[in-house]
Amino acid sequence: MSVQTEGTDTAGEPAVRKARVPVPPGGDSRTAGAPSRRRSAAPYLLLLPALLATVVLLGWPLVKNGMLSFQNLNPRQLIQHLTEWNGVENYREVLSGGDFWRVVERSVFFTAVNVALIMVLGTLVGLLLARLGGRMRLLLMIGLVLAWAMPVIAATTVYQWLFAQRFGVVNWVLDKLGWHSMADHNWLQTQFSTFAVITLLLVWQSIPFVAINLYAATTTIPRELYEAASLDGAGAWKSFTSVTLPFLRPFLYATTFLEVIWIFKAFPQIFAMNEGGPDHLTETLPIYAYVEGVGNQHFGVGAAISFLTILVLLVITSYYLRMVLKQEEDEL
């Protein structure tokens, strides 16, 4: 190592010695930051398999669906392997018809009613889990998990049997209780009653997720906060609004967001129950896209409807997220 010593400064004090840092043989100072760059790139490398799977499983089908929505694809083109591009004709046909907008209105209202019922009942069950003793909580949790784990088609079949016209359990119970006119009642005959059965099914399937999620959130609340609230004279309702609700609010926002998506895209329950009947009055956007695309074999139109369904869901979720973010900013 070579050291260069300079002279003294004007004050007569010796100048600071400057030493040259030796460079290893064959080394380069530019390679000193290579380990740090590798460490900063490690998280992205770990996320790469998940990103690739998302692009392959979700991105590519979405691109193919978008391409089909700009094609005139009917049985003739499908059999002859023809590709006939018709621009935005499919979208013009869908948006200019009144059926699409009626289905959109029906889907939004159906989603709002179901999500409201699910969140209210699921929150109550979650709070009940937090107040029960160990054995009763375990018993209720087992029942919730069993309802949650039941396959969708199996659960829909059970509800079809419960509300069957001739041999349904519900009609039999109502007849035994004195409502003899309900002995042979067809629950799938009208729009309202069909939606009532489907709503009951969807709420029953969704409550376990909300309840277990909210119960897990209550376990993160410190007990000291409830003790402090009781010392201040807060009752049960005041403790809930001042302690429990602020802690549960982020979980409620996230759970509501997931339930909106799950209910809006619900397909097997509605289709297996009554195939969107009677007279197409219970068709939501996923059912409408399937009936027009596969049922009527207008695959290009069905692809356009499914793409518009995604756009409608994005509008709903973006509005909800903006509302949530605004509320959080107001609280800050």
Side-chain angles (χ1 to χ4, degrees):
M1 178 177 64
S2 61
V3 179
Q4 179 182 357
T5 305
E6 296 183 356
T8 59
D9 57 11
T10 55
E13 297 179 356
V16 179
R17 297 177 180 268
K18 298 180 180 180
R20 297 177 181 174
V21 179
V23 179
D28 189 353
S29 60
R30 290 175 297 180
T31 61
S36 61
R37 286 195 297 269
R38 285 195 295 268
R39 285 193 297 269
S40 62
Y44 300 99
L45 293 177
L46 294 175
L47 289 174
L48 186 59
L51 293 176
L52 290 176
T54 302
V55 170
V56 172
L57 298 178
L58 297 179
W60 179 243
L62 185 62
V63 172
K64 291 290 292 183
N65 184 79
M67 295 172 60
L68 288 177
S69 65
F70 295 102
Q71 298 178 21
N72 180 27
L73 185 60
N74 294 322
R76 183 179 69 85
Q77 290 83 3
L78 190 64
I79 294 173
Q80 297 180 1
H81 301 282
L82 297 177
T83 301
E84 296 182 5
W85 300 93
N86 60 353
V88 295
E89 184 61 31
N90 292 330
Y91 290 95
R92 184 181 295 111
E93 178 183 348
V94 172
L95 295 176
S96 61
D99 292 340
F100 175 77
W101 298 109
R102 283 193 293 270
V103 174
V104 170
E105 182 181 0
R106 185 186 305 144
S107 301
V108 173
F109 181 75
F110 175 74
T111 302
V113 171
N114 276 269
V115 171
L117 290 174
I118 289 168
M119 293 307 301
V120 171
L121 298 177
T123 301
L124 293 177
V125 175
L127 296 175
L128 177 63
L129 284 172
R131 299 296 295 261
L132 290 175
R135 294 183 178 178
M136 290 301 298
R137 182 187 301 122
L138 178 62
L139 184 62
L140 181 55
M141 288 277 285
I142 292 175
L144 291 173
V145 171
L146 290 177
W148 192 13
M150 180 175 288
V152 175
I153 298 300
T156 306
T157 304
V158 170
Y159 270 73
Q160 285 178 321
W161 173 66
L162 290 174
F163 290 92
Q165 181 176 359
R166 295 187 59 188
F167 304 106
V169 176
V170 174
N171 288 349
W172 180 82
V173 171
L174 293 176
D175 179 45
K176 293 299 181 182
L177 292 177
W179 286 285
H180 301 294
S181 61
M182 303 296 294
D184 199 34
H185 179 70
N186 185 7
W187 290 92
L188 305 180
Q189 186 177 7
T190 64
Q191 180 188 31
F192 179 79
S193 60
T194 303
F195 266 138
V197 175
I198 296 172
T199 298
L200 184 62
L201 170 61
L202 290 173
V203 171
W204 177 77
Q205 288 182 313
S206 303
I207 282 178
F209 173 74
V210 178
I212 294 174
N213 192 20
L214 267 295
Y215 167 68
T218 59
T219 60
T220 64
I221 304 177
R223 298 292 98 184
E224 294 81 3
L225 296 179
Y226 290 107
E227 295 175 359
S230 62
L231 291 176
D232 293 338
W237 177 251
K238 186 64 177 178
S239 297
F240 173 76
T241 56
S242 60
V243 179
T244 306
L245 188 59
F247 271 88
L248 295 183
R249 189 173 288 116
F251 297 91
L252 289 172
Y253 288 156
T255 307
T256 303
F257 178 76
L258 295 175
E259 289 299 328
V260 168
I261 297 175
W262 194 75
I263 295 298
F264 191 85
K265 68 180 185 65
F267 175 85
Q269 297 92 336
I270 303 175
F271 188 80
M273 185 66 68
N274 203 18
E275 298 183 0
D279 298 327
H280 306 280
L281 292 177
T282 59
E283 285 183 355
T284 56
L285 278 173
I287 305 298
Y288 182 57
Y290 178 83
V291 170
E292 290 295 325
V294 179
N296 296 333
Q297 296 185 344
H298 297 159
F299 302 104
V301 175
I305 296 173
S306 63
F307 208 82
L308 291 172
T309 301
I310 297 174
L311 294 180
V312 172
L313 183 58
L314 287 177
V315 171
I316 295 174
T317 54
S318 61
Y319 174 79
Y320 173 75
L321 289 176
R322 186 178 64 178
M323 181 181 63
V324 170
L325 293 176
K326 186 177 182 302
Q327 290 180 354
E328 291 182 350
E329 290 176 358
D330 294 340
E331 291 175 359
L332 295 177

